[in-house]
Amino acid sequence: AQSVTQLGSHVSVSEGALVLLRCNYSSSVPPYLFWYVQYPNQGLQLLLKYTSAATLVKGINGFEAEFKKSETSFHLTKPSAHMSDAAEYFCAVSDQGGSEKLVFGKGMKLTVNP
Amino acid sequence: NAGVTQTPKFRILKIGQSMTLQCAQDMNHNYMYWYRQDPGMGLKLIYYSVGAGITDKGEVPNGYNVSRSTTEDFPLRLELAAPSQTSVYFCASSPSPGRSGYTFGSGTRLTVV
């Protein structure tokens, strides 16, 4: 069975600062990993995904994430935060064996201060 | 390019009333899902379907029912609404959840009073 841990529920950064959102996973088989973003009053949209092709994955809006098997991590980063990045971010995991559903973390709310 | 369409966007129900939340996708995805989202609680899976005619319970199915008579539609039925069902409901679909992830609808905000 897979699980995802997003420690904490809220991160606050200044505009222009580094964004780092942590995600650790647990999986007994090679995982697929995803980051989703949810802007206020909207549905979730896919930010990026790891499906074993490359360990450093680039997504939309300047975000990227690196798969580190030794650390069982898939942290999301962006070098310079923008006000428009304020949203909630969800990490999710599935397995490469044909799982029927994703397992989501509890989410992390990102606030960007001017 | 409609994707996943949910209706209605907002609804207020009285305790004991029933309603159906509609979800339709035009991408020919076999997998469809219903989640509820409560503040600070993340997403909780209510029901899901791996194809027409096949449904299965998620984490929190009590008080809800689903059907999947076509590939396109996956309605969620609330019987005897309770205040605990006040939430935002999201429908999602996928051709292959492991490799592709989900496409989400924009949600239905339901208040039970």
mmCIF file of all heavy atoms in Angstrom, chain B residues 57-103:
data_model
loop_
_atom_site.group_PDB
_atom_site.id
_atom_site.type_symbol
_atom_site.label_atom_id
_atom_site.label_comp_id
_atom_site.label_asym_id
_atom_site.label_seq_id
_atom_site.Cartn_x
_atom_site.Cartn_y
_atom_site.Cartn_z
ATOM 1 N N LYS B 57 -16.630 1.143 -3.446
ATOM 2 C CA LYS B 57 -16.600 2.116 -2.362
ATOM 3 C C LYS B 57 -15.188 2.635 -2.124
ATOM 4 O O LYS B 57 -14.209 1.920 -2.290
ATOM 5 C CB LYS B 57 -17.119 1.473 -1.073
ATOM 6 C CG LYS B 57 -18.566 1.055 -1.131
ATOM 7 C CD LYS B 57 -18.998 0.380 0.158
ATOM 8 C CE LYS B 57 -20.456 -0.037 0.095
ATOM 9 N NZ LYS B 57 -20.897 -0.726 1.325
ATOM 10 N N GLY B 58 -15.138 3.899 -1.694
ATOM 11 C CA GLY B 58 -13.890 4.481 -1.242
ATOM 12 C C GLY B 58 -13.839 4.510 0.276
ATOM 13 O O GLY B 58 -14.389 3.643 0.946
ATOM 14 N N GLU B 59 -13.213 5.567 0.804
ATOM 15 C CA GLU B 59 -13.037 5.676 2.259
ATOM 16 C C GLU B 59 -14.319 6.045 2.990
ATOM 17 O O GLU B 59 -14.540 5.650 4.136
ATOM 18 C CB GLU B 59 -12.032 6.783 2.583
ATOM 19 C CG GLU B 59 -10.675 6.682 1.982
ATOM 20 C CD GLU B 59 -9.912 7.968 2.249
ATOM 21 O OE1 GLU B 59 -9.554 8.215 3.417
ATOM 22 O OE2 GLU B 59 -9.694 8.737 1.290
ATOM 23 N N VAL B 60 -15.145 6.900 2.358
ATOM 24 C CA VAL B 60 -16.289 7.492 3.062
ATOM 25 C C VAL B 60 -17.586 7.354 2.262
ATOM 26 O O VAL B 60 -18.213 8.338 1.887
ATOM 27 C CB VAL B 60 -16.010 8.979 3.391
ATOM 28 C CG1 VAL B 60 -14.937 9.110 4.447
ATOM 29 C CG2 VAL B 60 -15.612 9.763 2.134
ATOM 30 N N PRO B 61 -18.054 6.137 1.990
ATOM 31 C CA PRO B 61 -19.225 5.953 1.124
ATOM 32 C C PRO B 61 -20.577 6.138 1.799
ATOM 33 O O PRO B 61 -21.589 6.293 1.103
ATOM 34 C CB PRO B 61 -19.065 4.501 0.677
ATOM 35 C CG PRO B 61 -18.390 3.843 1.851
ATOM 36 C CD PRO B 61 -17.454 4.876 2.410
ATOM 37 N N ASN B 62 -20.604 6.138 3.141
ATOM 38 C CA ASN B 62 -21.907 6.148 3.828
ATOM 39 C C ASN B 62 -22.676 7.428 3.533
ATOM 40 O O ASN B 62 -22.157 8.535 3.656
ATOM 41 C CB ASN B 62 -21.699 6.005 5.333
ATOM 42 C CG ASN B 62 -21.192 4.631 5.701
ATOM 43 O OD1 ASN B 62 -21.270 3.697 4.909
ATOM 44 N ND2 ASN B 62 -20.652 4.505 6.898
ATOM 45 N N GLY B 63 -23.937 7.241 3.168
ATOM 46 C CA GLY B 63 -24.798 8.379 2.850
ATOM 47 C C GLY B 63 -24.811 8.747 1.382
ATOM 48 O O GLY B 63 -25.505 9.685 0.991
ATOM 49 N N TYR B 64 -24.059 8.018 0.578
ATOM 50 C CA TYR B 64 -23.947 8.292 -0.856
ATOM 51 C C TYR B 64 -24.203 7.022 -1.674
ATOM 52 O O TYR B 64 -24.002 5.920 -1.184
ATOM 53 C CB TYR B 64 -22.558 8.811 -1.201
ATOM 54 C CG TYR B 64 -22.079 9.976 -0.393
ATOM 55 C CD1 TYR B 64 -21.298 9.785 0.746
ATOM 56 C CD2 TYR B 64 -22.384 11.281 -0.758
ATOM 57 C CE1 TYR B 64 -20.849 10.854 1.500
ATOM 58 C CE2 TYR B 64 -21.929 12.359 -0.016
ATOM 59 C CZ TYR B 64 -21.165 12.130 1.111
ATOM 60 O OH TYR B 64 -20.721 13.194 1.852
ATOM 61 N N ASN B 65 -24.626 7.233 -2.910
ATOM 62 C CA ASN B 65 -24.729 6.135 -3.862
ATOM 63 C C ASN B 65 -24.293 6.612 -5.230
ATOM 64 O O ASN B 65 -24.408 7.810 -5.543
ATOM 65 C CB ASN B 65 -26.163 5.610 -3.950
ATOM 66 C CG ASN B 65 -26.452 4.620 -2.848
ATOM 67 O OD1 ASN B 65 -25.793 3.585 -2.743
ATOM 68 N ND2 ASN B 65 -27.417 4.939 -2.011
ATOM 69 N N VAL B 66 -23.817 5.690 -6.041
ATOM 70 C CA VAL B 66 -23.402 6.018 -7.401
ATOM 71 C C VAL B 66 -23.931 4.977 -8.365
ATOM 72 O O VAL B 66 -24.333 3.883 -7.974
ATOM 73 C CB VAL B 66 -21.867 6.096 -7.544
ATOM 74 C CG1 VAL B 66 -21.285 7.254 -6.741
ATOM 75 C CG2 VAL B 66 -21.226 4.775 -7.150
ATOM 76 N N SER B 67 -23.887 5.346 -9.635
ATOM 77 C CA SER B 67 -24.166 4.405 -10.711
ATOM 78 C C SER B 67 -23.277 4.794 -11.883
ATOM 79 O O SER B 67 -22.832 5.947 -11.994
ATOM 80 C CB SER B 67 -25.640 4.460 -11.111
ATOM 81 O OG SER B 67 -25.989 5.764 -11.535
ATOM 82 N N ARG B 68 -23.027 3.855 -12.759
ATOM 83 C CA ARG B 68 -22.196 4.141 -13.949
ATOM 84 C C ARG B 68 -22.780 3.328 -15.108
ATOM 85 O O ARG B 68 -22.322 2.248 -15.428
ATOM 86 C CB ARG B 68 -20.740 3.745 -13.695
ATOM 87 C CG ARG B 68 -19.823 4.091 -14.870
ATOM 88 C CD ARG B 68 -19.093 5.360 -14.669
ATOM 89 N NE ARG B 68 -18.271 5.720 -15.801
ATOM 90 C CZ ARG B 68 -16.984 5.383 -15.923
ATOM 91 N NH1 ARG B 68 -16.375 4.650 -14.979
ATOM 92 N NH2 ARG B 68 -16.291 5.788 -16.963
ATOM 93 N N SER B 69 -23.787 3.907 -15.716
ATOM 94 C CA SER B 69 -24.446 3.201 -16.822
ATOM 95 C C SER B 69 -23.767 3.477 -18.161
ATOM 96 O O SER B 69 -23.928 2.701 -19.108
ATOM 97 C CB SER B 69 -25.927 3.578 -16.897
ATOM 98 O OG SER B 69 -26.059 4.973 -17.018
ATOM 99 N N THR B 70 -23.017 4.564 -18.246
ATOM 100 C CA THR B 70 -22.284 4.878 -19.470
ATOM 101 C C THR B 70 -20.849 5.233 -19.117
ATOM 102 O O THR B 70 -20.548 5.544 -17.956
ATOM 103 C CB THR B 70 -22.900 6.070 -20.222
ATOM 104 O OG1 THR B 70 -22.729 7.252 -19.425
ATOM 105 C CG2 THR B 70 -24.388 5.849 -20.507
ATOM 106 N N THR B 71 -19.972 5.221 -20.093
ATOM 107 C CA THR B 71 -18.591 5.641 -19.869
ATOM 108 C C THR B 71 -18.529 7.108 -19.475
ATOM 109 O O THR B 71 -17.698 7.512 -18.676
ATOM 110 C CB THR B 71 -17.747 5.404 -21.127
ATOM 111 O OG1 THR B 71 -17.745 4.010 -21.428
ATOM 112 C CG2 THR B 71 -16.315 5.875 -20.938
ATOM 113 N N GLU B 72 -19.419 7.927 -20.032
ATOM 114 C CA GLU B 72 -19.336 9.368 -19.876
ATOM 115 C C GLU B 72 -19.813 9.897 -18.517
ATOM 116 O O GLU B 72 -19.317 10.892 -18.025
ATOM 117 C CB GLU B 72 -20.158 10.071 -20.973
ATOM 118 C CG GLU B 72 -19.628 9.868 -22.378
ATOM 119 C CD GLU B 72 -19.973 8.499 -22.950
ATOM 120 O OE1 GLU B 72 -20.910 7.842 -22.435
ATOM 121 O OE2 GLU B 72 -19.290 8.079 -23.899
ATOM 122 N N ASP B 73 -20.800 9.251 -17.928
ATOM 123 C CA ASP B 73 -21.488 9.841 -16.774
ATOM 124 C C ASP B 73 -21.278 9.046 -15.495
ATOM 125 O O ASP B 73 -21.314 7.807 -15.505
ATOM 126 C CB ASP B 73 -22.993 9.945 -17.065
ATOM 127 C CG ASP B 73 -23.272 10.822 -18.257
ATOM 128 O OD1 ASP B 73 -22.909 12.009 -18.202
ATOM 129 O OD2 ASP B 73 -23.833 10.317 -19.243
ATOM 130 N N PHE B 74 -21.125 9.770 -14.389
ATOM 131 C CA PHE B 74 -20.916 9.132 -13.093
ATOM 132 C C PHE B 74 -21.605 9.985 -12.021
ATOM 133 O O PHE B 74 -20.967 10.724 -11.290
ATOM 134 C CB PHE B 74 -19.416 9.010 -12.822
ATOM 135 C CG PHE B 74 -19.057 8.138 -11.655
ATOM 136 C CD1 PHE B 74 -19.718 6.952 -11.398
ATOM 137 C CD2 PHE B 74 -18.013 8.502 -10.807
ATOM 138 C CE1 PHE B 74 -19.370 6.143 -10.333
ATOM 139 C CE2 PHE B 74 -17.645 7.694 -9.737
ATOM 140 C CZ PHE B 74 -18.329 6.517 -9.498
ATOM 141 N N PRO B 75 -22.918 9.904 -11.904
ATOM 142 C CA PRO B 75 -23.643 10.728 -10.936
ATOM 143 C C PRO B 75 -23.485 10.218 -9.504
ATOM 144 O O PRO B 75 -23.377 9.012 -9.269
ATOM 145 C CB PRO B 75 -25.098 10.611 -11.404
ATOM 146 C CG PRO B 75 -25.150 9.306 -12.134
ATOM 147 C CD PRO B 75 -23.811 9.106 -12.757
ATOM 148 N N LEU B 76 -23.487 11.157 -8.578
ATOM 149 C CA LEU B 76 -23.404 10.863 -7.146
ATOM 150 C C LEU B 76 -24.715 11.261 -6.494
ATOM 151 O O LEU B 76 -25.143 12.413 -6.594
ATOM 152 C CB LEU B 76 -22.259 11.646 -6.510
ATOM 153 C CG LEU B 76 -22.069 11.470 -4.995
ATOM 154 C CD1 LEU B 76 -21.532 10.076 -4.676
ATOM 155 C CD2 LEU B 76 -21.118 12.549 -4.442
ATOM 156 N N ARG B 77 -25.335 10.305 -5.826
ATOM 157 C CA ARG B 77 -26.634 10.531 -5.212
ATOM 158 C C ARG B 77 -26.479 10.680 -3.705
ATOM 159 O O ARG B 77 -25.834 9.838 -3.061
ATOM 160 C CB ARG B 77 -27.548 9.346 -5.528
ATOM 161 C CG ARG B 77 -28.939 9.407 -4.925
ATOM 162 C CD ARG B 77 -29.851 10.290 -5.723
ATOM 163 N NE ARG B 77 -31.214 10.289 -5.177
ATOM 164 C CZ ARG B 77 -32.135 11.181 -5.492
ATOM 165 N NH1 ARG B 77 -31.844 12.160 -6.351
ATOM 166 N NH2 ARG B 77 -33.336 11.116 -4.968
ATOM 167 N N LEU B 78 -27.060 11.760 -3.160
ATOM 168 C CA LEU B 78 -27.133 11.935 -1.723
ATOM 169 C C LEU B 78 -28.564 11.680 -1.277
ATOM 170 O O LEU B 78 -29.493 12.326 -1.764
ATOM 171 C CB LEU B 78 -26.758 13.359 -1.311
ATOM 172 C CG LEU B 78 -25.282 13.717 -1.203
ATOM 173 C CD1 LEU B 78 -24.633 13.781 -2.575
ATOM 174 C CD2 LEU B 78 -25.122 15.033 -0.473
ATOM 175 N N GLU B 79 -28.737 10.720 -0.419
ATOM 176 C CA GLU B 79 -30.054 10.428 0.134
ATOM 177 C C GLU B 79 -30.110 10.968 1.564
ATOM 178 O O GLU B 79 -29.158 10.802 2.312
ATOM 179 C CB GLU B 79 -30.285 8.921 0.162
ATOM 180 C CG GLU B 79 -30.137 8.219 -1.174
ATOM 181 C CD GLU B 79 -31.338 8.408 -2.073
ATOM 182 O OE1 GLU B 79 -32.306 9.099 -1.675
ATOM 183 O OE2 GLU B 79 -31.323 7.864 -3.192
ATOM 184 N N LEU B 80 -31.205 11.600 1.917
ATOM 185 C CA LEU B 80 -31.407 12.082 3.288
ATOM 186 C C LEU B 80 -30.209 12.920 3.754
ATOM 187 O O LEU B 80 -29.450 12.536 4.640
ATOM 188 C CB LEU B 80 -31.606 10.895 4.250
ATOM 189 C CG LEU B 80 -32.820 10.012 3.966
ATOM 190 C CD1 LEU B 80 -32.837 8.814 4.902
ATOM 191 C CD2 LEU B 80 -34.098 10.835 4.098
ATOM 192 N N ALA B 81 -30.053 14.072 3.123
ATOM 193 C CA ALA B 81 -28.894 14.919 3.382
ATOM 194 C C ALA B 81 -28.758 15.276 4.870
ATOM 195 O O ALA B 81 -29.759 15.535 5.558
ATOM 196 C CB ALA B 81 -28.990 16.193 2.553
ATOM 197 N N ALA B 82 -27.513 15.296 5.334
ATOM 198 C CA ALA B 82 -27.192 15.647 6.719
ATOM 199 C C ALA B 82 -26.169 16.770 6.719
ATOM 200 O O ALA B 82 -25.401 16.915 5.757
ATOM 201 C CB ALA B 82 -26.640 14.428 7.451
ATOM 202 N N PRO B 83 -26.113 17.562 7.799
ATOM 203 C CA PRO B 83 -25.127 18.652 7.861
ATOM 204 C C PRO B 83 -23.694 18.178 7.655
ATOM 205 O O PRO B 83 -22.865 18.926 7.125
ATOM 206 C CB PRO B 83 -25.336 19.221 9.264
ATOM 207 C CG PRO B 83 -26.764 18.924 9.577
ATOM 208 C CD PRO B 83 -27.036 17.590 8.947
ATOM 209 N N SER B 84 -23.391 16.937 8.034
ATOM 210 C CA SER B 84 -22.041 16.395 7.862
ATOM 211 C C SER B 84 -21.660 16.236 6.388
ATOM 212 O O SER B 84 -20.479 16.025 6.071
ATOM 213 C CB SER B 84 -21.915 15.031 8.555
ATOM 214 O OG SER B 84 -22.836 14.107 7.992
ATOM 215 N N GLN B 85 -22.630 16.327 5.508
ATOM 216 C CA GLN B 85 -22.355 16.230 4.080
ATOM 217 C C GLN B 85 -22.088 17.593 3.439
ATOM 218 O O GLN B 85 -21.856 17.671 2.226
ATOM 219 C CB GLN B 85 -23.491 15.505 3.366
ATOM 220 C CG GLN B 85 -23.603 14.046 3.782
ATOM 221 C CD GLN B 85 -24.753 13.330 3.129
ATOM 222 O OE1 GLN B 85 -25.909 13.775 3.233
ATOM 223 N NE2 GLN B 85 -24.479 12.211 2.479
ATOM 224 N N THR B 86 -22.101 18.620 4.236
ATOM 225 C CA THR B 86 -21.665 19.931 3.756
ATOM 226 C C THR B 86 -20.193 19.841 3.397
ATOM 227 O O THR B 86 -19.357 19.496 4.226
ATOM 228 C CB THR B 86 -21.875 21.004 4.842
ATOM 229 O OG1 THR B 86 -23.276 21.168 5.070
ATOM 230 C CG2 THR B 86 -21.272 22.334 4.417
ATOM 231 N N SER B 87 -19.883 20.121 2.134
ATOM 232 C CA SER B 87 -18.522 19.917 1.655
ATOM 233 C C SER B 87 -18.415 20.427 0.221
ATOM 234 O O SER B 87 -19.395 20.870 -0.374
ATOM 235 C CB SER B 87 -18.181 18.422 1.690
ATOM 236 O OG SER B 87 -16.807 18.206 1.430
ATOM 237 N N VAL B 88 -17.212 20.350 -0.311
ATOM 238 C CA VAL B 88 -17.007 20.573 -1.735
ATOM 239 C C VAL B 88 -16.737 19.214 -2.367
ATOM 240 O O VAL B 88 -15.874 18.461 -1.888
ATOM 241 C CB VAL B 88 -15.844 21.535 -2.011
ATOM 242 C CG1 VAL B 88 -15.680 21.741 -3.514
ATOM 243 C CG2 VAL B 88 -16.064 22.867 -1.311
ATOM 244 N N TYR B 89 -17.463 18.903 -3.407
ATOM 245 C CA TYR B 89 -17.372 17.593 -4.048
ATOM 246 C C TYR B 89 -16.688 17.736 -5.412
ATOM 247 O O TYR B 89 -17.038 18.592 -6.215
ATOM 248 C CB TYR B 89 -18.763 17.002 -4.235
ATOM 249 C CG TYR B 89 -19.410 16.638 -2.923
ATOM 250 C CD1 TYR B 89 -20.086 17.591 -2.166
ATOM 251 C CD2 TYR B 89 -19.320 15.344 -2.420
ATOM 252 C CE1 TYR B 89 -20.657 17.270 -0.944
ATOM 253 C CE2 TYR B 89 -19.890 15.005 -1.210
ATOM 254 C CZ TYR B 89 -20.553 15.977 -0.477
ATOM 255 O OH TYR B 89 -21.113 15.641 0.732
ATOM 256 N N PHE B 90 -15.703 16.871 -5.622
ATOM 257 C CA PHE B 90 -14.978 16.869 -6.891
ATOM 258 C C PHE B 90 -15.129 15.519 -7.576
ATOM 259 O O PHE B 90 -14.992 14.472 -6.947
ATOM 260 C CB PHE B 90 -13.493 17.145 -6.669
ATOM 261 C CG PHE B 90 -13.203 18.557 -6.288
ATOM 262 C CD1 PHE B 90 -12.966 18.901 -4.970
ATOM 263 C CD2 PHE B 90 -13.179 19.555 -7.258
ATOM 264 C CE1 PHE B 90 -12.705 20.212 -4.613
ATOM 265 C CE2 PHE B 90 -12.925 20.876 -6.901
ATOM 266 C CZ PHE B 90 -12.695 21.192 -5.589
ATOM 267 N N CYS B 91 -15.363 15.600 -8.849
ATOM 268 C CA CYS B 91 -15.359 14.427 -9.715
ATOM 269 C C CYS B 91 -14.057 14.447 -10.504
ATOM 270 O O CYS B 91 -13.527 15.525 -10.836
ATOM 271 C CB CYS B 91 -16.559 14.492 -10.658
ATOM 272 S SG CYS B 91 -16.687 13.111 -11.803
ATOM 273 N N ALA B 92 -13.520 13.277 -10.789
ATOM 274 C CA ALA B 92 -12.289 13.185 -11.564
ATOM 275 C C ALA B 92 -12.374 11.982 -12.490
ATOM 276 O O ALA B 92 -13.137 11.042 -12.244
ATOM 277 C CB ALA B 92 -11.071 13.060 -10.649
ATOM 278 N N SER B 93 -11.579 12.025 -13.555
ATOM 279 C CA SER B 93 -11.527 10.883 -14.458
ATOM 280 C C SER B 93 -10.091 10.638 -14.893
ATOM 281 O O SER B 93 -9.224 11.517 -14.763
ATOM 282 C CB SER B 93 -12.425 11.111 -15.687
ATOM 283 O OG SER B 93 -11.851 12.069 -16.564
ATOM 284 N N SER B 94 -9.842 9.434 -15.420
ATOM 285 C CA SER B 94 -8.494 9.080 -15.858
ATOM 286 C C SER B 94 -8.541 7.929 -16.854
ATOM 287 O O SER B 94 -9.361 7.027 -16.717
ATOM 288 C CB SER B 94 -7.652 8.667 -14.651
ATOM 289 O OG SER B 94 -6.367 8.240 -15.048
ATOM 290 N N PRO B 95 -7.633 7.949 -17.837
ATOM 291 C CA PRO B 95 -7.518 6.789 -18.721
ATOM 292 C C PRO B 95 -6.677 5.686 -18.072
ATOM 293 O O PRO B 95 -6.859 4.506 -18.357
ATOM 294 C CB PRO B 95 -6.807 7.355 -19.942
ATOM 295 C CG PRO B 95 -5.979 8.482 -19.399
ATOM 296 C CD PRO B 95 -6.746 9.050 -18.240
ATOM 297 N N SER B 96 -5.778 6.122 -17.193
ATOM 298 C CA SER B 96 -4.857 5.189 -16.549
ATOM 299 C C SER B 96 -4.285 5.915 -15.348
ATOM 300 O O SER B 96 -3.331 6.671 -15.467
ATOM 301 C CB SER B 96 -3.725 4.800 -17.507
ATOM 302 O OG SER B 96 -2.728 4.052 -16.820
ATOM 303 N N PRO B 97 -4.875 5.735 -14.184
ATOM 304 C CA PRO B 97 -4.539 6.586 -13.042
ATOM 305 C C PRO B 97 -3.068 6.561 -12.660
ATOM 306 O O PRO B 97 -2.509 7.597 -12.304
ATOM 307 C CB PRO B 97 -5.419 6.045 -11.910
ATOM 308 C CG PRO B 97 -5.956 4.748 -12.389
ATOM 309 C CD PRO B 97 -5.941 4.788 -13.869
ATOM 310 N N GLY B 98 -2.440 5.390 -12.752
ATOM 311 C CA GLY B 98 -1.052 5.318 -12.348
ATOM 312 C C GLY B 98 -0.152 6.157 -13.226
ATOM 313 O O GLY B 98 0.676 6.910 -12.750
ATOM 314 N N ARG B 99 -0.314 6.075 -14.503
ATOM 315 C CA ARG B 99 0.581 6.760 -15.427
ATOM 316 C C ARG B 99 0.128 8.180 -15.740
ATOM 317 O O ARG B 99 0.939 9.072 -15.944
ATOM 318 C CB ARG B 99 0.710 5.958 -16.718
ATOM 319 C CG ARG B 99 1.581 6.621 -17.760
ATOM 320 C CD ARG B 99 1.967 5.667 -18.859
ATOM 321 N NE ARG B 99 3.010 4.748 -18.424
ATOM 322 C CZ ARG B 99 4.308 5.052 -18.390
ATOM 323 N NH1 ARG B 99 4.726 6.240 -18.759
ATOM 324 N NH2 ARG B 99 5.189 4.165 -18.001
ATOM 325 N N SER B 100 -1.169 8.410 -15.811
ATOM 326 C CA SER B 100 -1.688 9.699 -16.285
ATOM 327 C C SER B 100 -2.187 10.613 -15.188
ATOM 328 O O SER B 100 -2.353 11.814 -15.411
ATOM 329 C CB SER B 100 -2.830 9.470 -17.283
ATOM 330 O OG SER B 100 -2.421 8.657 -18.338
ATOM 331 N N GLY B 101 -2.471 10.083 -14.016
ATOM 332 C CA GLY B 101 -3.107 10.903 -13.004
ATOM 333 C C GLY B 101 -4.568 11.148 -13.360
ATOM 334 O O GLY B 101 -5.145 10.460 -14.191
ATOM 335 N N TYR B 102 -5.130 12.146 -12.683
ATOM 336 C CA TYR B 102 -6.542 12.450 -12.875
ATOM 337 C C TYR B 102 -6.742 13.805 -13.558
ATOM 338 O O TYR B 102 -5.908 14.702 -13.423
ATOM 339 C CB TYR B 102 -7.259 12.580 -11.526
ATOM 340 C CG TYR B 102 -7.300 11.397 -10.624
ATOM 341 C CD1 TYR B 102 -7.693 11.573 -9.293
ATOM 342 C CD2 TYR B 102 -6.993 10.112 -11.030
ATOM 343 C CE1 TYR B 102 -7.763 10.523 -8.411
ATOM 344 C CE2 TYR B 102 -7.048 9.048 -10.152
ATOM 345 C CZ TYR B 102 -7.446 9.259 -8.834
ATOM 346 O OH TYR B 102 -7.516 8.203 -7.957
ATOM 347 N N THR B 103 -7.894 13.934 -14.215
ATOM 348 C CA THR B 103 -8.418 15.237 -14.613
ATOM 349 C C THR B 103 -9.609 15.525 -13.719
ATOM 350 O O THR B 103 -10.532 14.705 -13.637
ATOM 351 C CB THR B 103 -8.858 15.239 -16.085
ATOM 352 O OG1 THR B 103 -7.731 14.939 -16.909
ATOM 353 C CG2 THR B 103 -9.412 16.601 -16.473
#
